[in-house]
Structures are given as C-alpha cells and as structure tokens.
Amino acid sequence: MPQIINPSDVQYSVLLETVAGTTPTTGSRYLLPVAANQNPIAFSSADVVSNTKRPNGAKNGLQRGPKSGTGTINMPMMFSPVYSQLLEGALRGKFTTTGTKTLKPGTTDSTFSVLQLLKPGAAGSAILSTAKGSAVTKATISAEAGSAVNVAFDFLSSAEDQLQTDSALVPTDVLSTAYEFTGADVNSLNIAGNMTVYWKSLSLEFGQPRNNRYVLGTNVSVGNAPSDQRDVKLTIRVYRDDTWVIDTLLTGQRQAFSFNVGTAGAGYGFFIFGHASIPQTELDSESAYVNIEVSGAYDGTGGGDIYITQL
C-alpha cells in the first residue's frame, strides 16, 4: 500500500548553482528551516488551447506550453550563510569580504537549485523534486512587536527534475544555536535621522522582477532574466504621540531609513533610501498609529536605493 507523505518529514534545501539551470554535484547544500505547511515550488505551463471544432460539438483539447515554476519559501529570520546567499540573490550582488561586510545591488545574477525531498531513501525509492535555475524575485522581511521576525523569498524557476534518487551532497543544517529573531531583536530604528519614535511594526520588500525566456523548438526555458527595475518598499507603523514630529520630519524628498535585526556578529543591518508618502493616522481600539510608506530611490552616496550589512 502506498505511503502517504507526512508534511513534517519533507525537507527543503538549496544549492547555489555555478552554471544556471544545472544542479551542482559539489558545493554547500543548505537545509532551509521552513514550516511544516511549506508548499513546494509549483510548476505550470502556458497551455496552448485548441479552438478547432470537432464532430458533435466537441473541442480538440490542449497542448502543454512553456513550463515555469514559482513559489515562496517562508522562514523565521535568522543569521546564517544560507540567508546571506538568498539576500545576495535578491539584490544581484555579493557581500564584501573585508571590513564591514556589505551587500549592495549589482548586476550579477545568482541562481539556485531548490531541492524538495518528499521522501528520503535509497536510490530508486526516494522522491525528490528539484527546481532548477531558481532566482529570487523578491525578499520580504516583516517584524512586529511581540512576534517573530519572518522572511519570505519568492522564486522563479526555469526547469524541474523529478527524481527517485536524493542528491549525494550531505545537507548542512542551520546551527542549532542559531537564534530566531523576534521583535525585541529589531533595533537602531532610524527614520530620516530620528531614533526616538516608537515603532510598532515594519515590512521591507525588495527584489528584481524576472521572467523566463522561451525559444522556438522547445517548451523548456533557456533561463530567466531581469524584466524591469528593482522594487524597494518599506512600510513602517509607529505610535502617534502628542506632537507632529513624524509629519514635519518626512519631507517627501529622498531621505534615509534604517534598522538592525540582531547584534554584532549575529545579525543584519538594512539601509534604505527613498521618498515617504504623506503619513496616515490610523486609530483602533488599542492605540493611535501613523502609517508610513517609503518608495526606494537611488542615492549616489549609498550607491543604490538599499544596502545590507552583516553586523
């Protein structure tokens, strides 16, 4: 009798590809600390539907068209090499290796093989789905007072392998001593130079829109590539106090915003340049808040609209 897959047994891991679309046989394979209800990257095709008329009012079906994979990996925010790799993928850059390790946006693409092991076992009995040529299209970091800090990475994948043999590379797990950040670990909050305002929550989104490239003669993508400008959006919710500090502070011109998650040696700093929309006051049964939305804008001194450091 077939064995039903237990979602809590499914393992997700990633491999940084050296050749886009080819799963490496060497290198570091990192396990991802995902939730039990994490869904695999889903592949679908742009089906070519026939409009041919057949006898007795029948249609003539469809043919499968170009194939593409999309999905989101949701994880608790932690400080680990695999997180750094995925952040690099989102900004198309690399952390510097000397001094303050800094990641700035660039034009160097990173692609990954996302391995989804539904069933471990010996060769011929395992069930492994591999999403190849996977690029990060967006990263979203969200934090709220009294809750966990979470990160979500959206992927666009070019091809899929369905295998009965697991990768020979032994996966490296996130260290058991690695810390899952909470709202209490978000610090050094800076709104256009002001560090005295009380933040309730934040959401930072950044990434590079991409699409798969298809050619005649095959339904398999030849890879994916950037298709538009990078999007950076910072949403902040602060408490409304008895002054107009926030309203007068935000000029609508390009200003700097920043926050840290974690501490020295075990965390990240996020620095955003952008234009803030007019702050909006919101009231509920608990308190009064001010909602701020910042749209990323290029800053010549910072070298972009966002950069990230390792603390």
Side-chain angles (χ1 to χ4, degrees):
M1 181 176 178
Q3 177 183 347
I4 304 300
I5 299 297
N6 182 350
S8 62
D9 293 335
V10 177
Q11 291 185 353
Y12 291 79
S13 57
V14 294
L15 279 161
L16 181 64
E17 296 175 347
T18 54
V19 177
T22 300
T23 301
T25 56
T26 60
S28 297
R29 174 186 178 185
Y30 290 107
L31 279 180
L32 299 177
V34 300
N37 61 352
Q38 172 68 51
N39 286 316
I41 290 178
F43 280 81
S44 60
S45 64
D47 296 333
V48 181
V49 180
S50 173
N51 66 352
T52 303
K53 289 192 276 187
R54 304 298 291 170
N56 302 317
K59 293 184 178 181
N60 209 33
L62 59 79
Q63 298 182 64
R64 290 184 180 180
K67 192 175 182 180
S68 179
T70 57
T72 301
I73 301 294
N74 297 286
M75 300 184 291
M77 188 67 185
M78 305 167 76
F79 181 74
S80 173
V82 67
Y83 285 77
S84 297
Q85 280 191 354
L86 294 173
L87 291 171
E88 289 175 337
L91 287 183
R92 302 179 68 207
K94 296 291 183 182
F95 278 101
T96 57
T97 57
T98 58
T100 300
K101 296 180 180 179
T102 303
L103 169 62
K104 292 187 176 183
T107 57
T108 302
D109 288 321
S110 296
T111 60
F112 302 85
S113 288
V114 182
L115 282 63
Q116 300 149 124
L117 183 63
L118 278 71
K119 176 190 173 186
S125 64
I127 301 179
L128 176 70
S129 172
T130 301
K132 303 184 299 183
S134 302
V136 179
T137 57
K138 185 172 73 171
T140 303
I141 297 162
S142 56
E144 184 170 358
S147 298
V149 180
N150 294 306
V151 61
F153 293 100
D154 292 357
F155 284 93
L156 175 67
S157 304
S158 299
E160 179 187 28
D161 283 337
Q162 294 180 339
L163 306 171
Q164 292 182 300
T165 301
D166 191 9
S167 167
L169 295 176
V170 177
T172 300
D173 200 354
V174 173
L175 292 175
S176 59
T177 54
Y179 187 73
E180 293 188 15
F181 297 120
T182 69
D185 300 303
V186 182
N187 56 82
S188 300
L189 308 161
N190 189 325
I191 299 179
N194 186 299
M195 302 182 71
T196 63
V197 175
Y198 293 113
W199 296 37
K200 169 68 172 177
S201 63
L202 67 87
S203 173
L204 173 61
E205 302 176 12
F206 54 93
Q208 178 71 60
R210 307 177 72 91
N211 59 28
N212 278 316
R213 305 298 167 89
Y214 301 103
V215 297
L216 294 174
T218 178
N219 277 334
V220 179
S221 166
V222 295
N224 61 61
S227 57
D228 205 343
Q229 295 161 296
R230 181 176 53 258
D231 294 317
V232 176
K233 180 182 178 183
L234 174 64
T235 303
I236 309 169
R237 196 179 210 203
V238 303
Y239 285 97
R240 166 65 79 185
D241 59 24
D242 59 354
T243 71
W244 291 106
V245 169
I246 285 294
D247 307 78
T248 56
L249 181 68
L250 298 173
T251 64
Q253 303 300 310
R254 184 178 64 245
Q255 295 176 288
F257 305 80
S258 62
F259 63 92
N260 292 344
V261 181
T263 58
Y268 299 98
F270 298 88
F271 301 82
I272 302 95
F273 303 97
H275 299 256
S277 58
I278 296 176
Q280 303 292 316
T281 297
E282 180 182 343
L283 307 178
D284 64 18
S285 59
E286 293 183 356
S287 188
Y289 304 98
V290 180
N291 296 319
I292 304 165
E293 288 193 1
V294 179
S295 179
Y298 179 80
D299 179 84
T301 303
D305 44 15
I306 183 174
Y307 69 90
I308 303 170
T309 64
Q310 295 184 22
L311 301 178

